[in-house]
Amino acid sequence: MIRRNFLADAEAAQKYIDGVKRLKDPAQFPWRGRNNLSMYDVFVFWHHQSMMMMTPPSQSDRNAAHSGPAFLPWHRYFLITLEGFLRRALNDDDFRIPYWDWTADAELSESVTSPVWSNSNLGQFAGSDWRVRLEMSLRTGDLRETDRSLQRDLGGGQLPRRSEVRTIIHDQSAYDVPPFNSSSPRGLRNLTEGWIGPERIHNSVHVWVGGDMSLSSSPNDPVFFLHHCNVDRIWAAWQERNPASGYLPDMSAPDTLQFHRIDDALYSIFEETVTPGDMVDYKRYYEYDSLSDLADLGT
Ligand SMILES: [Cu+2]
């Protein structure tokens, strides 16, 4: 089953919109034991918790899902899990999350005018119906209950360009390199996550959308999953381009890299064990309608 471009497939786009609205409704998908919270809100909680779990606890850079090798497999697992819930919400076994190709919007003279943000698309979530129920407190950093509309501040900085994404995929031969954190000097993971490099790929998109997307509770904005679907597509294109380069590090890495080594359990709030290694073969779950826009694949 195929993950498609949100702006090129109106049916996939509408299903995504319908699906997240159903998942967000506590009457249809309650978070058991939490009044007025839904299964969608579980994903907000899960993402926030991952950022609170420092790996190891003795430092404040790498956490269970960011600033380390697990960044890509953890978010792949996160999206696959949401995708399963959306299939149930839509009663559609073939549904796959679409991606937002922000490199296309980067080419517009005014990226904020992209139809992604029209009221028939994601613009509607900034209205009054979509309620943010869990938010990160800017004062304490903790997650707290609230009841307000979604906040965005579109247009901060520059969206990443396709040429930069292609350069990273073509130039980076290693998945990740020591010290396996935000200061890793090269490697697909740190350049894609965007702690280094001229365009700060993944991070700059969070900044560009702004508002709720700049918090640990960023999955409150449904664009989070469309953004991360495109980030995942970068990893997929790199995998196809570099079939001999595998995930790093392996289990010979020290315990300080727990949650990030290939056979470690990724941080989850569900009772299941999924490892980075389990996430490598993404074609068990989905394929992308296009990777050749991101890499020369020689086919
Ligand atoms: Cu994240």
Side-chain angles (χ1 to χ4, degrees):
M1 288 299 129
I2 311 291
R3 287 181 171 179
R4 299 178 190 281
N5 185 325
F6 181 83
L7 287 181
D9 191 307
E11 189 185 342
Q14 191 58 48
K15 281 187 178 175
Y16 178 72
I17 290 166
D18 291 345
V20 295
K21 284 181 174 176
R22 290 178 197 178
L23 208 56
K24 178 75 172 160
D25 178 5
Q28 295 184 62
F29 287 92
W31 180 352
R32 304 242 174 251
R34 296 292 301 266
N35 247 344
N36 295 319
L37 297 183
S38 67
M39 284 310 297
Y40 188 94
D41 299 316
V42 167
F43 285 82
V44 177
F45 173 75
W46 183 9
H47 188 266
H48 170 82
Q49 291 297 106
S50 81
M51 295 190 80
M52 297 299 106
M53 175 163 294
M54 292 300 156
T55 56
S58 56
Q59 49 85 60
S60 58
D61 176 33
R62 185 173 56 228
N63 63 59
H66 306 86
S67 304
F71 170 71
L72 290 167
W74 187 89
H75 286 83
R76 181 170 279 179
Y77 169 46
F78 195 60
L79 261 66
I80 287 170
T81 307
L82 183 89
E83 204 164 50
F85 276 98
L86 291 176
R87 278 199 290 278
R88 269 184 263 169
L90 294 162
N91 198 16
D92 179 354
D93 287 342
D94 294 343
F95 175 78
R96 296 294 182 274
I97 293 175
Y99 59 87
W100 170 31
D101 178 13
W102 23 256
T103 67
D105 289 4
E107 292 169 18
L108 302 174
S109 57
E110 287 195 76
S111 298
V112 296
T113 63
S114 165
V116 166
W117 308 107
S118 73
N119 274 335
S120 58
N121 285 323
L122 297 186
Q124 63 188 287
F125 292 99
S128 55
D129 289 355
W130 182 265
R131 306 303 291 174
V132 171
R133 301 305 312 274
L134 293 173
E135 67 178 357
M136 186 192 96
S137 160
L138 285 173
R139 195 175 58 80
T140 66
D142 291 338
L143 202 65
R144 63 183 180 200
E145 290 201 27
T146 184
D147 188 359
R148 60 166 174 82
S149 57
L150 186 70
Q151 291 170 1
R152 290 178 181 141
D153 192 7
L154 302 182
Q158 173 69 44
L159 290 170
R161 289 170 301 170
R162 175 170 288 119
S163 57
E164 179 62 17
V165 172
R166 292 177 63 91
T167 298
I168 291 169
I169 291 170
H170 287 190
D171 288 358
Q172 298 305 313
S173 53
Y175 173 80
D176 206 346
V177 298
F180 298 112
N181 60 24
S182 69
S183 54
S184 291
R186 56 189 173 82
L188 176 81
R189 191 275 309 167
N190 206 25
L191 279 151
T192 303
E193 188 170 6
W195 297 113
I196 56 169
E199 298 199 351
R200 310 280 164 138
I201 305 296
H202 148 269
N203 286 345
S204 73
V205 177
H206 278 274
V207 171
W208 188 90
V209 177
D212 281 297
M213 270 290 272
S214 52
L215 304 174
S216 63
S217 44
S218 48
N220 271 313
D221 192 328
V223 82
F224 174 96
F225 298 96
L226 304 190
H227 167 38
H228 269 280
C229 194
N230 206 41
V231 171
D232 187 75
R233 201 166 66 96
I234 296 173
W235 185 20
W238 182 86
Q239 289 183 286
E240 300 304 322
R241 169 90 187 170
N242 300 276
S245 308
Y247 182 85
L248 291 170
D250 65 21
M251 298 310 287
S252 66
D255 286 347
T256 49
L257 277 157
Q258 197 194 343
F259 292 96
H260 296 270
R261 299 171 299 187
I262 191 164
D263 295 329
D264 285 335
L266 291 164
Y267 174 68
S268 185
I269 57 169
F270 294 102
E271 287 190 20
E272 58 186 2
T273 301
V274 177
T275 68
D278 293 332
M279 290 291 101
V280 167
D281 183 12
Y282 66 93
K283 291 179 186 172
R284 291 162 57 200
Y285 303 97
Y286 54 83
E287 293 194 52
Y288 285 105
D289 62 348
S290 174
L291 296 174
S292 59
D293 55 316
L294 299 183
D296 295 328
L297 299 174
T299 46

